[in-house]
Amino acid sequence: MSDKVVLPRLDLPGQKTHWAVVAVIGGAVLVLLMAAIFLVVVHKQQAAQEAAARAVEARAKEAAAQIEKMKLEAAAAERAKVAAAAAEKAKPAGPVAAGDASKAGSAGSSAADGDSGKAGQRKKGHKAAHKPGRATASRGGGRAPSEETKKSDASVDALLRGLK
């Protein structure tokens, strides 16, 4: 047993991975990587579109709420105008009573407008020179535009506040 036994060296071709298999596996990994990147990009685009749609819906709801608010304000202004017209019609139509009512109305309106008491006194002295019938007609026509102006100023202010 002194002789050494030498075994033959066998190189089998199946021990190394073939280059075609490496190429197929590499291609599959590359395709999977590209598919993952594509899905991430598509997901981000869909999320951006959904966010934009939600923003548009929110703006539409806000605009609808502002329109409803303006409609309610317009209806309230219309009711106030109708009430003012009804109050104007309810005043006595007699010349003596109309003169007294217009004097009382001017004193009340000057105090409500924030005029000083002296301005109201000047108006009373000035009205005494006119005939009561003419003073009532001119006073009724002169008072309505100032009320409408105040209402339109209030509606413009409300509109500007709504746009901020």
Side-chain angles (χ1 to χ4, degrees):
M1 291 225 220
S2 66
D3 284 333
K4 291 185 177 178
V5 177
V6 177
L7 297 173
R9 189 168 188 145
L10 298 174
D11 285 333
L12 298 175
Q15 289 178 345
K16 281 187 169 182
T17 306
H18 195 267
W19 65 269
V21 174
V22 171
V24 169
I25 292 175
V29 168
L30 185 63
V31 167
L32 289 175
L33 183 63
M34 288 178 14
I37 292 172
F38 176 76
L39 290 175
V40 168
V41 169
V42 168
H43 178 71
K44 284 185 179 181
Q45 286 180 348
Q46 286 179 344
Q49 286 176 348
E50 290 172 2
R54 282 192 300 265
V56 168
E57 288 176 7
R59 277 189 247 130
K61 286 180 183 179
E62 182 180 329
Q66 285 181 351
I67 289 172
E68 286 298 319
K69 183 180 177 183
M70 285 191 262
K71 283 181 182 179
L72 291 175
E73 288 175 357
E78 192 67 29
R79 284 191 296 257
K81 186 185 275 187
V82 170
E88 189 70 31
K89 287 181 182 178
K91 288 185 179 180
V96 175
D100 294 339
S102 65
K103 288 180 185 177
S106 69
S109 68
S110 67
D113 292 341
D115 291 341
S116 65
K118 292 180 183 178
Q121 290 173 355
R122 275 188 262 140
K123 288 183 181 179
K124 285 183 185 177
H126 182 68
K127 280 179 23 182
H130 291 289
K131 295 179 183 176
R134 280 183 57 202
T136 306
S138 65
R139 186 151 286 289
R143 195 175 332 146
S146 64
E147 290 175 4
E148 290 176 10
T149 305
K150 290 178 184 176
K151 288 179 186 175
S152 67
D153 290 344
S155 63
V156 169
D157 290 341
L159 178 64
L160 291 174
R161 272 186 261 122
L163 292 176
K164 288 183 181 179

